[in-house]
Coordinates of all heavy atoms in Angstrom, one line a residue:
M17 N 0.8 -1.2 0.0 CA 0.0 0.0 0.0 C 0.9 1.2 0.1 O 0.6 2.2 -0.7 CB -0.9 -0.1 1.2 CG -2.1 0.7 1.1 SD -3.2 0.0 -0.2 CE -4.6 1.3 -0.2
L18 N 1.9 1.2 0.9 CA 2.8 2.4 1.0 C 3.6 2.5 -0.4 O 3.8 3.6 -0.8 CB 3.8 2.2 2.2 CG 4.6 3.3 2.4 CD1 3.9 4.6 3.0 CD2 5.8 3.1 3.4
L19 N 4.1 1.4 -1.0 CA 4.8 1.5 -2.1 C 4.0 2.1 -3.2 O 4.5 2.8 -4.1 CB 5.2 0.0 -2.5 CG 6.5 -0.5 -1.9 CD1 6.6 -2.0 -2.2 CD2 7.7 0.3 -2.5
R20 N 2.7 1.8 -3.3 CA 1.8 2.2 -4.3 C 1.7 3.8 -4.2 O 1.6 4.5 -5.1 CB 0.4 1.7 -4.1 CG -0.5 1.8 -5.3 CD -1.7 1.0 -5.2 NE -1.9 0.0 -6.4 CZ -3.0 -0.5 -6.7 NH1 -4.1 -0.3 -6.0 NH2 -3.2 -1.3 -7.7
F21 N 1.7 4.3 -2.9 CA 1.6 5.7 -2.6 C 2.7 6.4 -3.1 O 2.8 7.5 -3.7 CB 1.3 5.9 -1.1 CG 1.4 7.4 -0.7 CD1 0.3 8.3 -1.0 CD2 2.5 7.9 -0.1 CE1 0.4 9.6 -0.7 CE2 2.6 9.2 0.3 CZ 1.5 10.0 0.1
I22 N 4.0 5.8 -2.9 CA 5.3 6.4 -3.3 C 5.4 6.5 -4.9 O 5.8 7.4 -5.5 CB 6.5 5.6 -2.7 CG1 6.5 5.8 -1.2 CG2 7.7 5.9 -3.4 CD1 7.4 4.8 -0.5
F23 N 4.8 5.3 -5.5 CA 4.7 5.2 -6.9 C 3.9 6.4 -7.5 O 4.3 7.1 -8.5 CB 4.1 3.8 -7.4 CG 4.0 3.8 -8.8 CD1 5.2 3.6 -9.7 CD2 2.7 3.9 -9.4 CE1 4.9 3.5 -11.1 CE2 2.6 3.7 -10.8 CZ 3.7 3.6 -11.6
Y24 N 2.8 6.7 -7.0 CA 1.9 7.7 -7.4 C 2.6 9.1 -7.2 O 2.4 10.0 -8.1 CB 0.6 7.7 -6.7 CG -0.4 6.7 -7.2 CD1 -1.1 5.9 -6.4 CD2 -0.6 6.6 -8.6 CE1 -2.0 4.8 -7.0 CE2 -1.4 5.6 -9.2 CZ -2.1 4.7 -8.3 OH -2.9 3.8 -8.9
C25 N 3.3 9.2 -6.1 CA 4.0 10.5 -5.8 C 5.1 10.7 -7.0 O 5.3 11.8 -7.4 CB 4.7 10.4 -4.5 SG 3.6 10.8 -3.1
L26 N 5.8 9.6 -7.3 CA 6.9 9.7 -8.3 C 6.2 10.1 -9.7 O 6.8 10.9 -10.4 CB 7.7 8.4 -8.4 CG 8.7 8.1 -7.3 CD1 9.1 6.7 -7.4 CD2 9.8 9.1 -7.5
V27 N 5.1 9.5 -10.0 CA 4.4 9.8 -11.2 C 3.9 11.3 -11.2 O 4.2 11.9 -12.3 CB 3.2 8.9 -11.5 CG1 2.4 9.3 -12.6 CG2 3.8 7.4 -11.6
A28 N 3.3 11.7 -10.2 CA 2.9 13.1 -10.1 C 4.1 14.1 -10.2 O 4.1 15.0 -10.9 CB 2.2 13.4 -8.7
Y29 N 5.3 13.6 -9.6 CA 6.5 14.5 -9.6 C 7.0 14.5 -11.0 O 7.5 15.6 -11.5 CB 7.5 14.0 -8.6 CG 8.8 14.8 -8.7 CD1 8.9 16.0 -8.1 CD2 10.0 14.2 -9.2 CE1 10.1 16.8 -8.1 CE2 11.1 14.9 -9.2 CZ 11.2 16.2 -8.7 OH 12.4 17.0 -8.8
A30 N 7.0 13.3 -11.7 CA 7.6 13.3 -13.1 C 6.7 14.1 -14.0 O 7.2 14.8 -14.9 CB 7.6 11.8 -13.5
G31 N 5.3 14.1 -13.8 CA 4.4 14.9 -14.6 C 4.7 16.4 -14.4 O 4.6 17.2 -15.3
F32 N 4.9 16.7 -13.1 CA 5.2 18.1 -12.8 C 6.4 18.7 -13.6 O 6.6 19.7 -14.1 CB 5.3 18.3 -11.3 CG 5.7 19.6 -10.8 CD1 4.8 20.7 -10.9 CD2 6.9 19.8 -10.3 CE1 5.1 22.0 -10.5 CE2 7.3 21.1 -9.9 CZ 6.4 22.2 -10.0
R33 N 7.5 17.8 -13.3 CA 8.8 18.1 -14.0 C 8.6 18.3 -15.6 O 9.1 19.1 -16.1 CB 9.7 17.1 -13.8 CG 10.4 17.2 -12.3 CD 11.2 18.4 -12.1 NE 12.3 18.5 -12.9 CZ 13.6 18.2 -12.6 NH1 13.8 17.8 -11.4 NH2 14.6 18.4 -13.4
F34 N 7.7 17.4 -16.2 CA 7.6 17.3 -17.5 C 6.9 18.6 -18.0 O 7.1 19.1 -19.0 CB 6.7 16.1 -18.0 CG 6.4 16.0 -19.5 CD1 7.5 15.7 -20.3 CD2 5.1 16.2 -19.9 CE1 7.1 15.7 -21.7 CE2 4.8 16.1 -21.3 CZ 5.9 15.9 -22.2
L35 N 5.9 19.1 -17.2 CA 5.1 20.3 -17.5 C 6.1 21.6 -17.4 O 6.1 22.4 -18.2 CB 4.0 20.5 -16.5 CG 2.7 19.6 -16.8 CD1 1.7 19.8 -15.7 CD2 2.0 20.1 -18.1
R36 N 7.0 21.5 -16.4 CA 7.9 22.5 -16.2 C 8.9 22.6 -17.4 O 9.2 23.7 -17.9 CB 8.8 22.3 -15.0 CG 8.1 22.8 -13.6 CD 7.7 24.2 -13.5 NE 9.1 24.9 -13.5 CZ 9.6 25.4 -12.3 NH1 9.0 25.2 -11.2 NH2 10.8 26.1 -12.3
W37 N 9.2 21.4 -17.9 CA 10.2 21.3 -19.0 C 9.5 21.8 -20.2 O 10.1 22.3 -21.2 CB 10.5 19.8 -19.2 CG 11.4 19.5 -20.4 CD1 12.8 19.8 -20.5 CD2 11.0 18.9 -21.6 NE1 13.2 19.4 -21.8 CE2 12.0 18.9 -22.4 CE3 9.7 18.5 -22.1 CZ2 12.1 18.4 -23.8 CZ3 9.7 18.0 -23.4 CH2 10.9 18.0 -24.1
L38 N 8.2 21.5 -20.4 CA 7.4 22.0 -21.6 C 7.3 23.5 -21.6 O 7.4 24.1 -22.6 CB 6.0 21.4 -21.6 CG 5.9 20.0 -22.2 CD1 4.3 19.6 -22.0 CD2 6.2 20.0 -23.6
V39 N 7.2 24.1 -20.4 CA 6.9 25.6 -20.3 C 8.3 26.3 -20.4 O 8.4 27.3 -21.1 CB 6.2 25.9 -19.0 CG1 6.2 27.4 -18.8 CG2 4.8 25.3 -19.0
K40 N 9.3 25.8 -19.7 CA 10.5 26.6 -19.7 C 11.3 26.8 -21.0 O 11.8 28.0 -21.1 CB 11.5 25.9 -18.6 CG 11.6 26.7 -17.3 CD 12.7 26.3 -16.6 CE 13.2 27.4 -15.5 NZ 14.3 26.9 -14.6
P41 N 11.6 25.8 -21.8 CA 12.4 26.1 -23.0 C 11.9 27.0 -24.1 O 12.4 27.3 -25.0 CB 12.8 24.6 -23.5 CG 11.8 23.8 -22.9 CD 11.1 24.5 -21.8
A42 N 10.6 27.5 -23.9 CA 9.8 28.2 -24.9 C 10.7 29.5 -25.2 O 10.9 29.8 -26.3 CB 8.4 28.5 -24.5
P43 N 11.1 30.3 -24.1 CA 11.8 31.6 -24.4 C 13.2 31.3 -25.1 O 13.6 32.1 -26.0 CB 11.9 32.3 -23.1 CG 11.6 31.2 -22.1 CD 10.8 30.2 -22.7
A44 N 13.8 30.2 -24.7 CA 15.2 29.9 -25.3 C 15.0 29.6 -26.8 O 15.9 30.0 -27.6 CB 15.7 28.7 -24.6
R45 N 13.9 28.9 -27.1 CA 13.7 28.4 -28.5 C 13.3 29.7 -29.3 O 13.7 29.9 -30.5 CB 12.6 27.5 -28.5 CG 12.9 26.2 -29.3 CD 11.7 25.3 -29.4 NE 11.7 24.3 -28.2 CZ 10.6 23.9 -27.7 NH1 9.4 24.1 -28.3 NH2 10.6 23.0 -26.7
S46 N 12.6 30.7 -28.8 CA 12.2 31.9 -29.5 C 13.5 32.8 -29.7 O 13.6 33.5 -30.7 CB 11.2 32.7 -28.7 OG 11.7 33.2 -27.5
N47 N 14.6 32.6 -28.8 CA 15.8 33.4 -29.0 C 16.6 32.8 -30.1 O 17.2 33.6 -30.9 CB 16.7 33.3 -27.7 CG 16.3 34.4 -26.7 OD1 15.6 35.3 -27.1 ND2 16.9 34.2 -25.5
L48 N 16.5 31.4 -30.4 CA 17.3 30.8 -31.4 C 16.7 31.2 -32.7 O 17.2 31.3 -33.7 CB 17.2 29.2 -31.2 CG 18.2 28.7 -30.1 CD1 17.8 27.3 -29.9 CD2 19.6 28.9 -30.7
R49 N 15.3 31.4 -32.8 CA 14.6 31.7 -33.9 C 15.0 33.2 -34.5 O 15.1 33.4 -35.6 CB 13.1 31.8 -33.8 CG 12.4 31.1 -35.0 CD 10.9 31.2 -34.8 NE 10.4 30.5 -33.6 CZ 9.4 30.9 -32.8 NH1 8.9 32.0 -33.0 NH2 9.1 30.1 -31.8
S50 N 15.4 34.1 -33.5 CA 15.7 35.5 -33.9 C 16.9 35.9 -33.2 O 16.8 36.7 -32.2 CB 14.6 36.5 -33.6 OG 14.2 36.4 -32.3
P51 N 18.0 35.3 -33.5 CA 19.3 35.6 -32.7 C 19.8 37.1 -32.9 O 20.6 37.7 -32.2 CB 20.3 34.7 -33.1 CG 19.9 34.1 -34.5 CD 18.3 34.4 -34.5
R52 N 19.5 37.6 -34.1 CA 19.9 39.0 -34.6 C 19.5 40.0 -33.6 O 20.2 40.8 -33.1 CB 19.5 39.2 -35.9 CG 20.4 38.9 -37.0 CD 20.1 39.5 -38.4 NE 20.1 41.1 -38.3 CZ 21.2 41.7 -38.6 NH1 22.4 41.0 -38.9 NH2 21.3 43.0 -38.6
S53 N 18.1 40.0 -33.2 CA 17.6 41.2 -32.5 C 17.9 41.0 -31.0 O 17.9 42.0 -30.4 CB 16.0 41.1 -32.7 OG 15.5 39.8 -32.1
S54 N 18.3 39.9 -30.5 CA 18.6 39.8 -29.1 C 20.1 39.9 -28.8 O 20.5 40.0 -27.6 CB 18.1 38.3 -28.6 OG 18.7 37.4 -29.3
R55 N 21.0 40.0 -29.8 CA 22.4 40.1 -29.7 C 22.7 41.5 -29.3 O 22.1 42.6 -29.8 CB 23.2 39.7 -31.0 CG 24.2 38.8 -30.7 CD 25.2 38.6 -31.9 NE 26.1 39.7 -32.0 CZ 26.7 40.1 -33.1 NH1 26.7 39.3 -34.2 NH2 27.6 41.1 -33.1
M56 N 23.7 41.7 -28.3 CA 24.0 43.0 -27.9 C 25.3 43.5 -28.8 O 26.2 42.8 -29.0 CB 24.3 43.1 -26.4 CG 23.2 42.8 -25.6 SD 21.7 43.8 -25.7 CE 22.2 45.1 -24.7
V57 N 25.2 44.7 -29.2 CA 26.3 45.4 -29.9 C 26.7 46.7 -29.1 O 25.9 47.3 -28.4 CB 26.1 45.6 -31.4 CG1 25.9 44.4 -32.1 CG2 24.9 46.5 -31.6
R58 N 28.0 47.1 -29.3 CA 28.5 48.3 -28.6 C 28.6 49.4 -29.5 O 29.1 49.3 -30.5 CB 29.9 48.0 -28.0 CG 30.4 48.9 -27.0 CD 31.6 48.4 -26.2 NE 32.1 49.4 -25.3 CZ 33.0 50.2 -25.7 NH1 33.7 50.1 -26.9 NH2 33.6 51.0 -24.8
C59 N 28.0 50.5 -29.1 CA 28.1 51.8 -29.9 C 29.5 52.2 -30.0 O 30.2 52.3 -29.0 CB 27.2 52.9 -29.4 SG 27.4 54.4 -30.0
E60 N 30.0 52.4 -31.2 CA 31.5 52.8 -31.4 C 31.7 54.3 -31.0 O 32.8 54.7 -30.9 CB 31.8 52.6 -32.9 CG 31.9 51.2 -33.1 CD 32.8 50.8 -34.4 OE1 33.6 51.6 -34.8 OE2 32.6 49.7 -35.0
S61 N 30.6 55.0 -30.7 CA 30.9 56.4 -30.4 C 30.8 56.6 -28.9 O 31.7 57.3 -28.3 CB 29.8 57.2 -31.1 OG 30.0 58.6 -30.8
C62 N 29.8 56.1 -28.2 CA 29.6 56.4 -26.8 C 29.8 55.2 -25.9 O 29.9 55.3 -24.7 CB 28.3 57.1 -26.5 SG 26.9 56.0 -26.7
G63 N 29.8 54.0 -26.6 CA 30.2 52.7 -25.9 C 28.8 52.1 -25.3 O 29.0 51.1 -24.4
L64 N 27.6 52.7 -25.5 CA 26.5 52.1 -25.0 C 26.2 50.8 -25.8 O 26.3 50.6 -26.8 CB 25.3 53.2 -25.3 CG 24.1 52.9 -24.5 CD1 24.1 53.4 -23.1 CD2 22.9 53.6 -25.3
F65 N 25.6 49.9 -24.9 CA 25.3 48.6 -25.4 C 23.7 48.7 -25.9 O 22.9 49.0 -25.1 CB 25.4 47.4 -24.5 CG 26.9 47.0 -24.4 CD1 27.8 47.6 -23.5 CD2 27.4 46.1 -25.3 CE1 29.1 47.2 -23.5 CE2 28.7 45.6 -25.3 CZ 29.5 46.2 -24.3
V66 N 23.6 48.3 -27.1 CA 22.1 48.3 -27.7 C 21.9 46.9 -28.4 O 22.9 46.2 -28.8 CB 21.8 49.4 -28.6 CG1 21.7 50.6 -27.9 CG2 22.8 49.5 -29.7
T67 N 20.6 46.5 -28.4 CA 20.5 45.2 -29.2 C 20.7 45.4 -30.7 O 20.5 46.5 -31.2 CB 18.9 44.8 -29.1 OG1 18.1 45.8 -29.5 CG2 18.7 44.4 -27.6
E68 N 21.1 44.4 -31.4 CA 21.5 44.5 -32.8 C 20.4 44.9 -33.6 O 20.5 45.6 -34.6 CB 22.0 43.1 -33.3 CG 23.0 43.2 -34.5 CD 23.6 41.9 -34.8 OE1 23.1 40.9 -34.5 OE2 24.6 42.0 -35.4
G69 N 19.1 44.6 -33.3 CA 17.9 44.9 -34.0 C 17.7 46.4 -33.9 O 17.2 47.0 -34.9
S70 N 18.0 47.1 -32.8 CA 17.7 48.6 -32.7 C 19.0 49.4 -32.9 O 19.0 50.7 -32.9 CB 17.2 48.9 -31.3 OG 18.2 48.5 -30.3
A71 N 20.1 48.7 -33.2 CA 21.4 49.4 -33.5 C 21.4 50.0 -34.9 O 20.7 49.5 -35.8 CB 22.6 48.6 -33.3
M72 N 22.1 51.1 -35.1 CA 22.2 51.8 -36.4 C 23.6 51.3 -37.0 O 24.7 51.4 -36.3 CB 22.3 53.2 -36.3 CG 20.9 53.9 -36.2 SD 20.9 55.6 -37.0 CE 21.6 55.2 -38.6
V73 N 23.6 50.7 -38.1 CA 24.8 50.2 -38.7 C 25.2 51.2 -39.9 O 24.5 51.2 -41.0 CB 24.7 48.8 -39.2 CG1 26.0 48.3 -39.8 CG2 24.3 47.9 -38.2
V74 N 26.2 51.9 -39.7 CA 26.7 52.8 -40.8 C 28.2 52.4 -41.2 O 29.2 52.3 -40.3 CB 26.7 54.2 -40.2 CG1 27.3 55.2 -41.3 CG2 25.3 54.7 -39.7
R75 N 28.3 52.1 -42.5 CA 29.6 51.7 -43.1 C 30.2 50.5 -42.2 O 31.3 50.4 -42.0 CB 30.6 52.8 -43.0 CG 30.2 53.8 -44.1 CD 31.2 54.9 -44.1 NE 30.6 56.2 -44.5 CZ 31.2 57.4 -44.4 NH1 32.3 57.5 -43.9 NH2 30.5 58.4 -44.8
G76 N 29.3 49.5 -41.9 CA 29.8 48.4 -41.1 C 30.0 48.6 -39.7 O 30.6 47.7 -39.0
R77 N 29.9 49.8 -39.1 CA 30.0 50.0 -37.7 C 28.7 50.3 -37.0 O 27.8 50.8 -37.6 CB 30.9 51.3 -37.5 CG 32.3 50.9 -38.1 CD 33.0 52.1 -38.6 NE 33.7 52.8 -37.7 CZ 34.4 53.9 -37.8 NH1 34.5 54.5 -39.1 NH2 35.0 54.6 -36.8
D78 N 28.7 49.7 -35.7 CA 27.4 49.8 -35.0 C 27.4 51.1 -34.1 O 28.3 51.4 -33.4 CB 27.3 48.6 -34.0 CG 27.3 47.3 -34.8 OD1 26.5 47.2 -35.7 OD2 28.2 46.5 -34.6
F79 N 26.2 51.7 -34.2 CA 26.0 52.9 -33.3 C 24.6 52.8 -32.7 O 23.7 52.2 -33.2 CB 26.1 54.2 -34.2 CG 27.4 54.4 -34.8 CD1 27.5 54.1 -36.2 CD2 28.5 54.9 -34.1 CE1 28.8 54.2 -36.8 CE2 29.6 55.1 -34.7 CZ 29.9 54.7 -36.0
C80 N 24.5 53.4 -31.5 CA 23.2 53.4 -30.7 C 22.2 54.4 -31.3 O 20.9 54.1 -31.2 CB 23.4 53.7 -29.2 SG 23.8 55.5 -29.0
S81 N 22.7 55.5 -32.0 CA 21.7 56.4 -32.5 C 22.2 57.1 -33.8 O 23.5 57.0 -33.9 CB 21.3 57.5 -31.5 OG 22.5 58.1 -31.1
K82 N 21.4 57.8 -34.5 CA 21.9 58.6 -35.7 C 22.9 59.6 -35.3 O 23.8 59.9 -36.0 CB 20.7 59.1 -36.3 CG 20.9 59.4 -37.8 CD 19.5 60.0 -38.4 CE 19.8 60.3 -39.9 NZ 18.6 60.8 -40.5
A83 N 22.7 60.3 -34.0 CA 23.5 61.3 -33.6 C 24.9 60.8 -33.3 O 25.8 61.5 -33.6 CB 23.0 61.9 -32.4
C84 N 25.0 59.6 -32.8 CA 26.2 59.0 -32.4 C 27.1 58.7 -33.8 O 28.2 58.9 -33.9 CB 26.1 57.8 -31.6 SG 26.2 58.1 -29.8
A85 N 26.3 58.1 -34.7 CA 26.9 57.7 -36.0 C 27.5 59.0 -36.7 O 28.6 59.0 -37.2 CB 25.9 57.1 -36.9
Q86 N 26.7 60.1 -36.6 CA 27.1 61.4 -37.3 C 28.4 61.9 -36.6 O 29.3 62.4 -37.2 CB 26.0 62.3 -37.4 CG 25.0 62.1 -38.4 CD 23.7 63.0 -38.3 OE1 23.5 63.6 -37.4 NE2 22.9 62.9 -39.4
R87 N 28.3 61.9 -35.2 CA 29.4 62.4 -34.5 C 30.7 61.6 -34.7 O 31.8 62.2 -34.9 CB 29.1 62.4 -32.9 CG 29.9 63.3 -32.1 CD 29.8 62.9 -30.7 NE 28.3 62.9 -30.2 CZ 27.7 62.1 -29.4 NH1 28.6 61.3 -28.7 NH2 26.5 62.2 -29.1
N88 N 30.6 60.4 -34.8 CA 31.7 59.4 -34.9 C 32.3 59.6 -36.3 O 33.5 59.6 -36.6 CB 31.4 58.0 -34.7 CG 32.6 57.1 -34.6 OD1 33.1 56.6 -35.6 ND2 33.2 57.0 -33.4
L89 N 31.4 59.7 -37.4 CA 31.9 59.6 -38.8 C 32.5 61.0 -39.1 O 33.4 61.2 -39.9 CB 30.8 59.3 -39.7 CG 30.2 57.9 -39.6 CD1 29.0 57.8 -40.4 CD2 31.3 57.0 -40.2
R90 N 32.0 62.1 -38.4 CA 32.6 63.4 -38.6 C 34.0 63.6 -38.0 O 34.9 64.2 -38.6 CB 31.7 64.5 -38.0 CG 31.4 65.7 -38.9 CD 30.6 66.7 -38.2 NE 29.2 66.3 -37.9 CZ 28.6 66.5 -36.7 NH1 29.2 67.2 -35.8 NH2 27.4 66.2 -36.6
S91 N 34.2 62.9 -36.8 CA 35.4 63.1 -36.2 C 36.6 62.2 -36.8 O 37.8 62.6 -36.7 CB 35.3 62.6 -34.7 OG 35.0 61.2 -34.6
T92 N 36.3 61.2 -37.6 CA 37.4 60.4 -38.2 C 37.5 60.7 -39.6 O 36.6 61.1 -40.3 CB 37.0 58.8 -38.2 OG1 35.6 58.7 -38.6 CG2 37.0 58.3 -36.7
Ligands
ZN1 ZN1 26.1 56.0 -28.9

């Protein structure tokens, strides 16, 4: 009788772990689908870190904003 109770506990625990496993990897999988937008790049003008999706790329260099890009390109 006690063994049966322990068995049911294990089944319930396994089911709970399985549900947690089903729910948890969802955000990791969505990151793999769009790795570009979640990657961080450093602004070459002010050093601020922005996501690659929101970064400005001018002549192959990453900037956080249009103002930073203009400032950096004018000084070089
Ligand atoms: Zn900047």
